[in-house]
Amino acid sequence: MSEPASISTGIADRYATAIFELARDEGALPQIKADCDTLAGALDSSEDFRDLIHSPLYSREQQQSAIAKLAEQMGLHQITGNTLKLMASKRRLFVLRALISQLRDMIAEENGEVTADVTAAAPLNDDQRAALAETLKKSVGRDVNINLSVDETLIGGLVVKVGSKMIDTSIRSKLAALQNTMKEVG
């Protein structure tokens, strides 16, 4: 791991641990889990939000004020909102995506669950998500939370990562394997 990446991970881990411990003490882990989903959705869908998080053009005060208003509008738990404001005051919002990932893992571990990072060629409906979660539960032996992202370049199929195990059933990978096989033959 590169030094800047490990520094970012360390920062995210400290904030995630603080949020997790406060939320666990208050019995607010379900709300914090929902906050993670809300924030991840905002990061994925809003370029303005990503700019606010990453742009050095905004002052600490501007970031802090904007984050406070957004946290209120998003209905984030007080622990999450206060932590985000603190992060803005210290110019640490750039680790938000890593913070969300860490928090999800901590909450899943606390609940005896495991998180599967799933990349699909198209969005999955609720029935497909439930069927995939059930299939993964049988394979892993624990309840599975699905962290879904969409990558249309997969053409079809899924890429599933649970812990250190990765399953790639995408058409893109099958075509690449076929291409390599044809190169070896010809």
Side-chain angles (χ1 to χ4, degrees):
M1 187 180 297
S2 70
E3 190 171 331
S6 65
I7 291 170
S8 294
T9 301
I11 293 167
D13 187 47
R14 287 191 296 276
Y15 283 107
T17 301
I19 291 171
F20 177 79
E21 289 177 358
L22 287 169
R24 185 179 54 198
D25 292 347
E26 287 188 20
L29 287 178
Q31 176 63 37
I32 300 301
K33 183 178 178 182
D35 289 353
C36 288
D37 295 341
T38 300
L39 289 167
L43 281 170
D44 291 341
S45 65
S46 174
E47 188 174 336
D48 291 337
F49 187 58
R50 288 190 302 272
D51 286 346
L52 174 68
I53 300 300
H54 297 289
S55 177
L57 299 177
Y58 296 105
S59 69
R60 292 173 195 252
E61 294 77 22
Q62 288 172 321
Q63 274 188 331
Q64 204 170 2
S65 174
I67 284 294
K69 289 176 185 166
L70 285 170
E72 186 179 324
Q73 288 176 349
M74 290 177 173
L76 300 180
H77 191 278
Q78 183 178 1
I79 293 170
T80 307
N82 287 343
T83 303
L84 292 177
K85 287 186 278 187
L86 176 65
M87 291 171 69
S89 74
K90 297 190 177 290
R91 305 292 271 180
R92 298 287 191 248
L93 287 173
F94 67 93
V95 301
L96 184 57
R97 202 173 285 278
L99 168 79
I100 292 167
S101 177
Q102 291 274 13
L103 265 173
R104 283 178 168 163
D105 290 347
M106 292 172 146
I107 293 169
E109 181 71 27
E110 179 76 9
N111 295 334
E113 301 167 342
V114 66
T115 300
D117 293 319
V118 178
T119 306
L124 301 179
N125 64 35
D126 291 341
D127 292 338
Q128 291 169 324
R129 285 176 79 111
L132 178 60
E134 189 59 36
T135 302
L136 291 172
K137 180 180 179 179
K138 288 177 185 172
S139 173
V140 176
R142 293 174 27 184
D143 287 337
V144 177
N145 291 323
I146 295 178
N147 183 17
L148 180 69
S149 60
V150 176
D151 181 0
E152 293 174 357
T153 64
L154 294 180
I155 304 169
L158 300 169
V159 176
V160 179
K161 184 177 180 212
V162 180
S164 62
K165 186 176 183 180
M166 187 164 96
I167 305 161
D168 189 346
T169 64
S170 67
I171 293 175
R172 179 181 66 189
S173 70
K174 290 179 182 179
L175 288 173
L178 179 63
Q179 185 178 24
N180 286 337
T181 303
M182 290 176 73
K183 284 181 183 176
E184 291 172 8
V185 172

